[in-house]
Amino acid sequence: MLGNFSYHNPTKLYFGDDSLKYLREELSNYGKNIQLIYGGGSIKRSGLYDEIVAVLKECGKTIIADAGVMPNPTSEKLVEGAKLARENKVDLLLAVGGGSCCDYAKAVSVSAYCDDDPWEKYYIRFEEPDCEIIPVACVLTMAGTGSEMNGGSVITNHSQKLKIGHVFGDEVMPKFSILNPKYTMTLPKRQMVSGIYDIFNHICEQYFSGEDDNTSDYIAEALMKSVVKSSLIAVDNPEDYEARSNIMWTATWALNTLISRGKETDWMVHMLGQAVGAYTDATHGMTLAAVSLPYYRHIMPYGLKKFARFAVEVWGVNPNGKTDEQVAEEGLSALKSWMKKLGVTLSIGELGADESMIEGIADATIILDGGYKVLDRDEVVAILKESL
Ligand code: NZQ
Ligand code: ZN
């Protein structure tokens, strides 16, 4: 492990099927005005909304409702939410939902008292907040993004056709998150598998980089094996609590910065996927699934040893008598069969992209340099075309 680093994570987690009981105690640390952030209605249908409102009322809180956070929250919605928070002197932003609600809450936290245009400041110029920040907390209903224990906040700007994430610091990360695997049971299967692929890809993005012997890579392999095993159980039986709880916990650890310690990280699948998302508004995990195999096939020769290791350690490929290329290829084939068993999308065409969008998607793709190969624009175009 050759990199130097610090590690700190300020988010307190409550995990398990009784975890909501800690909400009351946590709420006592904040003032009266709670902005209750939720999405398009799943928490009303499941009954979770009523449970949360009952706790807030018992604690004497004033609820400022902020409903209708869409999947892939937009810059317009952010401006509305920031205004609501500012006008109501909100003391805590409580997100109840998936990564979109949680990401949105973080964006509102740094935008309510921001004098500038938050989209321009945080997502175009990547500046850090220099205003008052409202605390954020999360009750998670979808496992995938890791937003419950990180500083990430992804916002989509439809008029500019851009979807961009900003990773904020400790002061924006949720103060606490409540993780009850039972809340994820009402997810439609398509969302469940999309979240599962998101988890797996977060691990890949941090795994496929570096040449040194690094503890982070061993932890990453263990997390990948856990998510593969539990996903196959959950796909057959979504009601399996043990599998769903492993998936939820793995999602948190896949992206709370632990497994990136001492490493460069890649994140190019996310950059490609986010650009596809900016054009199609497709489900996040599906955009990643659709570009992954063409991308990994493309970079495999540059990180061959790691791809061979991935095949052996994660997928159990027997390397005896085979070249590294053969072993690595078998690993990617195993990945593809697993993706097919999950039922994730393998083509950006199925998500609404077409040939005429390729140049625009390539323009919207931010090229990062932490992986095994720094892509040039022609390579981005080639990978996108292969993903169609
Ligand atoms: O809006 P509601 O009605 O709640 O429905 C949601 C939404 O339609 C539904 N859902 C969530 N929990 C449910 C449920 N339906 C039934 N039962 C439940 N228990 O699922 C749909 C998708 O929800 P969403 O929050 O959009 O999904 P996800 O958690 O995948 O979040 C996606 C957003 O997070 C960003 C993505 O780019 C995307 O904008 N990401 C955030 C990251 C971070 N903070 O670090 C990293 C990720 O790579 C990702 O980019
Ligand atoms: Zn992701």
Side-chain angles (χ1 to χ4, degrees):
M1 193 156 192
L2 301 179
N4 302 331
F5 57 89
S6 65
Y7 180 72
H8 173 70
N9 194 310
T11 302
K12 182 163 188 181
L13 297 176
Y14 297 97
F15 189 95
D17 63 3
D18 68 348
S19 47
L20 192 66
K21 72 181 184 202
Y22 299 99
L23 179 60
R24 185 187 309 268
E25 188 184 317
E26 283 291 345
L27 286 174
S28 68
N29 298 320
Y30 303 92
K32 214 170 150 43
N33 300 331
I34 312 291
Q35 187 158 329
L36 180 58
I37 292 170
Y38 57 100
S42 72
I43 66 162
K44 288 206 167 162
R45 290 190 293 279
S46 69
L48 179 58
Y49 174 85
D50 291 337
E51 281 184 65
I52 303 259
V53 166
V55 176
L56 289 169
K57 284 189 175 157
E58 279 165 34
C59 295
K61 303 293 184 186
T62 303
I63 299 171
I64 294 105
D66 187 359
V69 177
M70 60 293 283
N72 312 319
T74 62
S75 47
E76 286 93 345
K77 177 74 182 159
L78 167 59
V79 171
E80 280 173 29
K83 185 165 177 265
L84 197 64
R86 185 174 57 250
E87 288 179 353
N88 290 283
K89 298 192 171 54
V90 161
D91 297 301
L92 177 71
L93 298 157
L94 181 62
V96 185
S100 291
C101 288
C102 202
D103 279 20
Y104 166 82
K106 292 176 208 170
V108 170
S109 81
V110 294
S111 301
Y113 299 107
C114 174
D115 296 331
D116 213 330
D117 172 346
W119 166 258
E120 291 291 328
K121 181 178 172 71
Y122 301 123
Y123 296 93
I124 298 293
R125 301 200 303 271
F126 285 101
E127 290 172 12
E128 294 311 318
D130 46 17
C131 58
E132 185 185 333
I133 296 170
I134 304 174
V136 171
C138 170
V139 178
L140 194 67
T141 65
M142 167 157 174
T145 64
S147 190
E148 64 276 12
M149 202 186 192
N150 70 35
S153 169
V154 182
I155 296 292
T156 298
N157 184 314
H158 286 299
S159 60
Q160 295 180 14
K161 286 206 165 12
L162 290 172
K163 180 177 185 186
I164 296 178
H166 186 128
V167 181
F168 291 101
D170 285 7
E171 65 287 358
V172 183
M173 289 167 68
K175 301 292 175 215
F176 65 91
S177 287
I178 290 177
L179 275 58
N180 182 342
K182 283 197 170 155
Y183 298 158
T184 69
M185 300 278 192
T186 53
L187 273 170
K189 202 164 190 174
R190 186 182 150 82
Q191 292 294 346
M192 178 186 81
V193 298
S194 172
I196 288 169
Y197 190 74
D198 192 21
I199 301 168
F200 190 84
N201 191 255
H202 292 160
I203 308 170
C204 290
E205 299 274 34
Q206 297 162 93
Y207 181 75
F208 288 118
S209 61
E211 310 286 344
D212 59 335
D213 186 37
N214 190 319
T215 297
S216 291
D217 289 333
Y218 295 91
I219 303 172
E221 286 162 355
L223 291 173
M224 286 193 263
K225 284 199 270 194
S226 173
V227 78
V228 169
K229 180 172 180 186
S230 295
S231 67
L232 293 172
I233 297 168
V235 161
D236 280 344
N237 177 15
E239 307 282 305
D240 189 305
Y241 180 86
E242 193 178 16
R244 299 300 291 267
S245 66
N246 281 325
I247 290 166
M248 197 171 207
W249 192 226
T250 308
T252 304
W253 284 91
L255 195 49
N256 68 1
T257 77
L258 176 79
I259 61 167
S260 65
R261 293 307 85 183
K263 290 193 60 134
E264 297 272 323
T265 51
D266 184 355
W267 293 108
M268 271 318 295
V269 169
H270 272 66
M271 295 304 103
L272 291 157
Q274 278 177 202
V276 170
Y279 272 71
T280 60
D281 206 25
T283 302
H284 171 65
M286 294 301 185
T287 64
L288 307 177
V291 300
S292 283
L293 289 166
Y295 174 70
Y296 287 132
R297 272 192 226 106
H298 188 82
I299 63 159
M300 197 180 83
Y302 305 93
L304 193 57
K305 286 220 167 321
K306 195 59 156 292
F307 278 91
R309 172 174 164 176
F310 173 71
V312 173
E313 299 299 333
V314 179
W315 300 104
V317 171
N318 178 357
N320 288 341
K322 297 173 194 160
T323 63
D324 277 353
E325 281 86 352
Q326 287 168 328
V327 176
E329 283 288 354
E330 280 188 42
L332 289 188
S333 299
L335 170 61
K336 186 173 180 180
S337 332
W338 173 67
M339 290 168 83
K340 285 190 159 167
K341 279 184 201 153
L342 287 186
V344 290
T345 311
L346 296 179
S347 134
I348 61 172
E350 280 173 36
L351 300 174
D354 61 35
E355 186 84 41
S356 73
M357 296 178 187
I358 296 292
E359 292 295 326
I361 297 174
D363 287 341
T365 302
I366 297 170
I367 295 179
L368 300 176
D369 61 2
Y372 287 121
K373 168 77 176 73
V374 183
L375 300 182
D376 61 33
R377 196 176 184 286
D378 291 346
E379 290 173 299
V380 170
V381 169
I383 290 164
L384 290 170
K385 283 189 174 165
E386 251 181 83
S387 308
L388 266 173

